[in-house]
Amino acid sequence: GAVVSQHPSWVICKSGTSVKIECRSLDFQATTMFWYRQFPKQSLMLMATSNEGSKATYEQGVEKDKFLINHASLTLSTLTVTSAHPEDSSFYICRGLAGGPTDTQYFGPGTRLTVL
Amino acid sequence: QKEVEQDPGPLSVPEGAIVSLNCTYSNSAFQYFMWYRQYSRKGPELLMYTYSSGNKEDGRFTAQVDKSSKYISLFIRDSQPSDSATYLCAMISQGAQKLVFGQGTRLTINP
C-alpha cells in the first residue's frame, strides 16, 4: 500500500535552534499535505494545510513564522520549527492526500520533537 | 461544544470480547466518516470509512453511521491484544479537505 515517510522519527534539540521535519509520499502524488501536532493522550490538532506549489494555510493560533511549511513537490513537504522552545516539544504528523476525501490518503509515522 | 465528541476512555476489555466505540457529532454537513487506529508513538492508520448512513463490514470490524442521530460506531468482534491502541473517529464534509477528529479512545485488550 501507499506509504508516507517522515524523517527524522525522533529529534532532540536545544532551545533556540531550528528543526526541519521531512514528509515524503513514496508511491503516490500528494497534492495536499496536512501537518498535525499531537500532545500525549490527546487528539491530533491540525496546524496547516499546504497544496503543492502554494503557500500553506495555517489554522487559527498557529504562528506561520514559527512553523514554516514548504510543499515544493508532489512527494515532499517540510515543516521547519524555528527557534524551538520546550513548549514546542510534541509529536508532529503529516498526512498526504491525493484528490478527494476518500482518495488515497495516508498519515506519516510521526516525528517526536523534544526541545531541551 | 466540540464538533465531534468521543469518550477518551480508557477502555479495558478481556480478549475475545466485542468492543463498541462511539462518536457523536453536531455538524449535519459531515458526509464521510472514518475510523483510525493509532498505536503508541505511531501515525494513525485508516481502518474504515463510510459514506453517509449505513453499515460497513471488514473482517472483525464493523462501522455504523446513523446520521439521524448524528452517531457513529465501530464494533470489533473477537478482540485481540493486538487491537490495543487508540481509536480515533474522524469526519469530513462533502468538498472539504479538513478532517475533524474525535479525541480518541484508548483501548486495551487483556489476554
Side-chain angles (χ1 to χ4, degrees):
Chain A
V3 175
V4 172
S5 69
Q6 278 184 244
H7 178 79
S9 58
W10 193 4
V11 56
I12 301 173
C13 69
K14 292 182 179 179
S15 185
T17 60
S18 294
V19 174
K20 179 184 283 189
I21 301 170
E22 290 186 351
C23 175
R24 293 181 185 273
S25 56
L26 298 183
D27 58 359
F28 71 100
Q29 294 185 326
T31 53
T32 306
M33 281 287 195
F34 303 87
W35 284 94
Y36 300 82
R37 64 188 300 182
Q38 186 178 34
F39 292 107
K41 298 183 182 180
Q42 293 190 23
S43 191
L44 294 90
M45 185 193 82
L46 180 64
M47 299 174 68
T49 303
S50 73
N51 293 301
E52 185 261 341
S54 303
K55 287 185 178 180
T57 302
Y58 290 82
E59 295 299 300
Q60 192 173 9
V62 178
E63 299 174 59
K64 62 180 180 180
D65 294 330
K66 182 170 184 61
F67 299 99
L68 302 178
I69 291 173
N70 184 284
H71 191 173
S73 77
L74 289 171
T75 58
L76 174 64
S77 177
T78 60
L79 166 66
T80 302
V81 183
T82 62
S83 187
H85 290 283
E87 57 266 29
D88 298 323
S89 299
S90 188
F91 194 52
Y92 291 88
I93 311 173
C94 64
R95 178 170 72 97
L97 174 68
T102 60
D103 288 331
T104 304
Q105 55 159 320
Y106 289 90
F107 280 92
T111 296
R112 182 162 303 280
L113 171 63
T114 301
V115 185
L116 302 175
Chain B
Q1 182 189 8
K2 292 181 181 177
E3 277 192 289
V4 180
E5 298 275 1
Q6 183 177 9
D7 186 340
L11 180 62
S12 183
V13 301
E15 182 176 357
I18 296 174
V19 176
S20 172
L21 304 167
N22 311 292
C23 289
T24 59
Y25 63 95
S26 58
N27 187 347
S28 58
F30 288 141
Q31 293 280 358
Y32 298 92
F33 304 90
M34 289 90 161
W35 284 96
Y36 288 86
R37 177 175 62 196
Q38 185 178 24
Y39 292 112
S40 181
R41 301 189 178 190
K42 300 289 185 183
E45 57 175 319
L46 180 64
L47 273 178
M48 301 182 72
Y49 80 85
T50 309
Y51 173 70
S52 194
S53 285
N55 292 3
K56 189 171 185 178
E57 189 173 319
D58 184 2
R60 296 185 295 112
F61 298 89
T62 299
Q64 284 186 352
V65 174
D66 182 349
K67 291 195 72 180
S68 62
S69 301
K70 296 189 177 67
Y71 187 89
I72 70 170
S73 301
L74 177 70
F75 297 96
I76 307 174
R77 292 185 299 279
D78 187 24
S79 56
Q80 305 294 312
S82 58
D83 295 328
S84 298
T86 295
Y87 289 79
L88 298 133
C89 64
M91 37 201 86
I92 192 169
S93 307
Q94 181 78 33
Q97 288 186 320
K98 298 179 189 177
L99 286 175
V100 181
F101 285 91
Q103 190 175 349
T105 300
R106 284 197 301 140
L107 172 67
T108 301
I109 308 298
N110 301 303

